[in-house]
Amino acid sequence: MNIAYIVTAVLVSALLVFTARNKLVRQKDVVETLIRVGVPERMFPVLAALQLLGAAGLLVGIFFRPLGIAAAVGVVLFFLGAVISHLRANDAKNAPMPAVFTVLSAAPLVLGLATV
């Protein structure tokens, strides 16, 4: 179980870093999508920082599991909030991606809890 946690924590952390980078460099399609769901541009760095902190927490969680579990909870809530934002904005076309990310980010949470 510990190896499974490590693998999922690293993969989800990479995903978080990649999506945070897209917000920080203001990738065109990401900006358009976020604005369409009602996120003000001034919040892009905040969202990216939350994702980077989640990635760091998951990686530190490899060595200190309680922090990894807390970070995993935060990441799941982050992506769940993204799904809700897309659905509230009637942007169901783009809701599946954050829904997939929500499910993927639940893996380190479940595995982290199983190895405590």
Side-chain angles (χ1 to χ4, degrees), residues 9-108:
V10 169
L11 291 175
V12 172
S13 293
L15 170 74
L16 288 165
V17 169
F18 177 74
T19 57
R21 175 220 168 260
N22 291 342
K23 287 175 185 65
L24 291 173
V25 300
R26 303 237 197 282
Q27 186 176 343
K28 184 181 177 189
D29 59 332
V30 172
V31 169
E32 290 171 356
T33 300
L34 289 172
I35 288 174
R36 186 171 46 252
V37 298
V39 177
E41 283 193 55
R42 64 180 165 73
M43 292 302 293
F44 292 6
V46 174
L47 294 175
L50 290 171
Q51 289 179 298
L52 293 173
L53 287 170
L58 288 172
L59 295 176
V60 171
I62 293 170
F63 306 101
F64 183 63
R65 195 54 47 91
L67 181 61
I69 292 169
V73 169
V75 171
V76 168
L77 292 175
F78 179 90
F79 284 124
L80 189 57
V83 171
I84 292 167
S85 295
H86 282 280
L87 294 176
R88 288 184 69 198
N90 294 319
D91 187 31
K93 175 185 91 160
N94 290 313
M97 190 58 71
V100 169
F101 291 168
T102 303
V103 172
L104 289 175
S105 62

